[in-house]
Amino acid sequence: MCARDIRRDFPILDQEVNGYPFVYLDSAATSQKPSQVIEAVSDYYRQDNSNVHRGVHTVGTRATEAYEGARESVRSFIGASKTEEIIFTRGTTEAINLVARGYADKHIQAGDEILITQMEHHSNLIPWQQVAKRTGATLSYIPMEPDGTISLEQVRQSVTRQTKLVAITHLSNVLGTINPIADITKIVHAHGGVVLVDGAQAVPHMTVNVTALDCDFYAFSGHKMCGPTGIGVLYGKRELLEVMEPVQFGGEMIDFVELYDSTWKELPWRFEAGTPIIAGAVGLKAAIDYLTEVGYDYIEAHVAMLTDYAMKQLRALGGITIYGPEHRSGLITFNLDDVHPHDTATVLDSYGIAVRAGHHCAQPLMKWLEVTATARASFYLYNTTEDVDRLVEGLKNAKEFFGDVF
Amino acid sequence: MSFNNLDTLYRQVIMDHYKNPRNKGTLADDAITLEMNNPTCGDRIQLHFIIEDDTVIDAKFEGEGCSISLASASMMTQAVKGKQVNEALEMAQYFSQMMLGQEPETDDLELGDIQALQGVQKFPARIKCATLAWKAMEKAIDKKNE
């Protein structure tokens, strides 16, 4: 297998942008979708579309089987022990908000502490600010090392008996830092707290086994791992989901409804009010099948090779600041000296190269880095070393263009 | 070498304003101060205006952002300084129409360097950069009128 064969699975890459072959280096924002996923979603609508868990007709049964089959596929993919521990959500953000409202609001009170890090994406930061405001709990931060990593020593010093919940990213969307979740979980559990992991960036790039990590909640999105937008997953340990309250009410999630009171369905459906994201789940299953077939060994090795290659090329370019630790996964956040990242991104776009520029939904981290914005190139299984060469060429042009002016 | 269509966006006059911003700084404490940011990208601008008798007596800005947003702020302060408040608002309206690709009436407006930003309309992702300072100016005038 090679990157060239994989590229053929992604029809969007076969186009020109601004007169140049398209180079997509923004997979950390959202990944592209292979034909296998696009067709699975399309086939579902063409052949199996019906509502799930209701009615007795044949096509409805097929839709239910497809939806629940996707849940089983997710369970096995992330190594959860029980299918009812898999809740479908709209994405990582909704999954984290569900835990914040449904679990944290009930089980955290004034005097308790919620512990997070300054490298969190806004989606794993603002929900906890809000829980702290609603409950009177304290929100604290585990200090980061100067290279943008979290040391276990700092974790040990930060976690106390008051720490009821630690929410942390598995893989930083800005720094590329991979956090030692299994070790962190051990420390937090020893003090009686629970751990929620934001896996939005990790799941696309590495084998994740929630049982081995022993985390209590794990959230991720389909769209960053070759799946459709609008589908995500909350994994939660059964005993915690049992004491979590639904935050959305309506059809599909109820057991008995009377005039003034109702009871809820068993797990996981009590957290999936309304017609669920059926086509999204079907697409997510297709994405899991696709990534599994390509193989995470290949994906990890290929992305690591591209990242190393790009790091070397960018350093050789000179006049560039790269943020984050040496050991990183899949992305490089950087700034060209004296060129604002928007300007860098506009120049690259004029050569058909898509990178992200801005604060990457991580304003507190930008403050820590002492910048207002950065550019970010992120790699995935369909990228090639030619893509990196094009990036480097584009950055040379940006330097020359802005260098001419100054 | 050729730089694609970049020259339509980054005209020399824009780069001049970026490199040598006009009216950069602050004003006395009693000036109207207004801060605005572009939450999607992190650009931030702080305007300081002195308005007396419906005239913009002085205008200064500080900020962090890309070449387009800072050049636009520089041009905006230059354009509205000494103008009647209603003229300044008219310019802001002209500017937002220009960004939408419309061709508004300009008969009695002294546009000067602002015209150089016309190319931004071809770069939809950058329009918000260009309009930030103008939106802030409209708000600053609103603040004075409160």
Side-chain angles (χ1 to χ4, degrees):
Chain A
M1 177 153 8
C2 76
R4 252 173 239 294
D5 295 330
I6 288 176
R7 263 185 104 80
R8 280 193 215 111
D9 292 335
F10 292 81
I12 200 169
L13 298 176
D14 183 25
Q15 65 172 306
E16 287 196 347
V17 171
N18 295 321
Y20 292 85
F22 185 32
V23 171
Y24 187 71
L25 298 176
D26 197 17
S27 297
T30 194
S31 71
Q32 295 304 347
K33 325 299 174 198
S35 302
Q36 289 86 336
V37 168
I38 298 168
E39 275 155 27
V41 173
S42 153
D43 286 351
Y44 166 76
Y45 279 126
R46 285 169 195 280
Q47 294 157 18
D48 301 329
N49 178 58
S50 280
N51 216 322
V52 294
H53 299 143
R54 59 193 84 176
V56 292
H57 57 75
T58 304
V59 177
T61 305
R62 289 215 298 263
T64 303
E65 281 168 1
Y67 183 64
E68 294 304 328
R71 196 189 309 276
E72 168 54 25
S73 174
V74 170
R75 182 205 65 74
S76 134
F77 177 63
I78 61 168
S81 54
K82 303 172 191 79
T83 310
E84 65 267 28
E85 295 179 322
I86 307 299
I87 298 162
F88 284 125
T89 66
R90 196 162 55 82
T92 308
T93 300
E94 192 176 83
I96 295 172
N97 276 278
L98 172 56
V99 176
R101 280 273 180 196
Y103 178 82
D105 276 9
K106 301 286 169 207
H107 299 277
I108 288 177
Q109 48 205 358
D112 291 344
E113 182 191 51
I114 302 164
L115 201 54
I116 64 174
T117 79
Q118 210 172 335
M119 72 171 84
E120 298 313 312
H121 187 281
H122 293 163
S123 62
N124 197 28
L125 195 157
I126 304 166
W128 309 118
Q129 290 179 346
Q130 295 298 316
V131 171
K133 281 182 190 167
R134 288 195 295 266
T135 60
T138 311
L139 179 66
S140 314
Y141 289 81
I142 304 170
M144 274 198 282
E145 299 301 306
D147 68 347
T149 57
I150 298 286
S151 80
L152 290 176
E153 196 39 52
Q154 288 288 6
V155 178
R156 274 185 214 104
Q157 283 179 26
S158 305
V159 177
T160 66
R161 279 272 150 210
Q162 276 66 53
T163 310
K164 288 286 155 16
L165 188 141
V166 174
I168 185 165
T169 183
H170 199 168
L171 200 171
S172 159
N173 70 313
V174 175
L175 303 169
T177 312
I178 302 164
N179 286 318
I181 299 299
D183 295 327
I184 292 172
T185 301
K186 272 196 203 98
I187 296 167
V188 178
H189 285 171
H191 291 82
V194 301
V195 176
L196 174 139
V197 182
D198 167 3
Q201 296 293 337
V203 175
H205 287 279
M206 53 208 257
T207 307
V208 170
N209 185 303
V210 292
T211 305
L213 294 174
D214 197 28
C215 56
D216 302 283
F217 297 102
Y218 197 101
F220 64 99
S221 299
H223 73 94
K224 290 193 205 284
M225 50 175 286
C226 296
T229 54
I231 183 79
V233 171
L234 173 67
Y235 157 81
K237 282 183 182 164
R238 193 191 161 102
E239 59 270 29
L240 294 173
L241 294 180
E242 289 288 5
V243 297
M244 188 164 96
E245 291 289 321
V247 299
Q248 289 192 339
F249 304 90
E252 204 60 21
M253 55 80 66
I254 43 81
D255 194 5
F256 290 103
V257 178
E258 297 189 46
L259 283 181
Y260 299 103
D261 206 0
S262 302
T263 55
W264 318 139
K265 247 187 198 169
E266 68 267 43
L267 294 173
W269 301 290
R270 78 172 69 139
F271 297 111
E272 295 177 0
T275 295
I277 312 148
I278 312 167
V282 167
L284 177 59
K285 179 184 185 304
I288 291 172
D289 291 345
Y290 180 79
L291 294 175
T292 309
E293 199 197 315
V294 172
Y296 268 81
D297 288 348
Y298 172 81
I299 296 169
E300 277 185 60
H302 180 71
V303 171
M305 179 276 291
L306 287 176
T307 311
D308 285 349
Y309 181 71
M311 285 286 265
K312 283 196 189 88
Q313 301 277 324
L314 292 184
R315 287 214 176 99
L317 191 66
I320 190 166
T321 308
I322 294 173
Y323 305 95
E326 197 54 40
H327 178 63
R328 63 175 65 216
S329 176
L331 57 91
I332 301 177
T333 294
F334 64 93
N335 270 329
L336 290 180
D337 298 351
D338 302 323
V339 187
H340 191 278
H342 293 166
D343 294 321
T344 305
T346 293
V347 173
L348 292 175
D349 178 57
S350 76
Y351 291 98
I353 305 160
V355 298
R356 175 81 194 267
H359 55 54
H360 315 287
C361 297
Q363 288 179 18
L365 181 56
M366 293 294 113
K367 200 164 266 178
W368 185 83
L369 290 170
E370 295 175 348
V371 294
T372 51
T374 65
R376 178 187 69 190
S378 49
F379 313 108
Y380 207 13
L381 70 167
Y382 38 71
N383 290 118
T384 60
T385 50
E386 285 83 359
D387 290 347
V388 176
D389 294 339
R390 290 272 308 281
L391 169 70
V392 172
E393 207 49 42
L395 290 174
K396 276 184 194 157
N397 290 333
K399 282 163 72 90
E400 194 173 331
F401 184 79
F402 282 92
D404 274 356
V405 179
F406 290 101
Chain B
M1 70 180 283
S2 108
F3 280 106
N4 303 321
N5 51 355
L6 288 176
D7 290 321
T8 36
L9 179 64
Y10 298 112
R11 302 267 307 273
Q12 202 64 40
V13 57
I14 296 177
M15 299 318 291
D16 179 51
H17 273 269
Y18 180 44
K19 192 181 161 195
N20 309 300
R22 324 300 197 258
N23 305 310
K24 193 154 187 203
T26 56
L27 290 170
D29 288 349
D30 56 346
I32 308 163
T33 297
L34 192 123
E35 188 166 315
M36 219 169 156
N37 67 348
N38 184 343
T40 57
C41 65
D43 283 3
R44 195 178 57 80
I45 187 170
Q46 196 174 47
L47 288 186
H48 306 276
F49 268 48
I50 295 175
I51 297 174
E52 275 168 24
D53 301 330
D54 274 341
T55 304
V56 181
I57 305 286
D58 206 352
K60 285 201 185 294
F61 81 98
E62 291 182 298
E64 288 159 347
C66 62
S67 57
I68 302 297
S69 69
L70 296 183
S72 182
S74 168
M75 290 175 182
M76 182 278 291
T77 51
Q78 196 181 37
V80 301
K81 220 157 125 173
K83 295 284 188 308
Q84 295 280 307
V85 163
N86 59 357
E87 278 179 285
L89 290 174
E90 230 176 291
M91 279 186 195
Q93 187 160 16
Y94 167 82
F95 192 80
S96 76
Q97 285 174 329
M98 183 168 88
M99 287 300 111
L100 291 170
Q102 296 162 357
E103 282 186 27
E105 292 290 317
T106 57
D107 292 352
D108 44 3
L109 291 178
E110 290 171 41
L111 293 164
D113 293 346
I114 298 169
Q115 291 285 22
L117 284 165
Q118 195 146 21
V120 177
Q121 58 170 270
K122 295 201 187 77
F123 294 79
R126 303 303 296 276
I127 292 173
K128 272 187 289 186
C129 310
T131 51
L132 181 64
W134 295 84
K135 291 199 173 131
M137 180 264 278
E138 288 178 300
K139 280 213 160 169
I141 288 174
D142 271 359
K143 207 172 169 182
K144 169 74 182 178
N145 292 339
E146 267 167 17

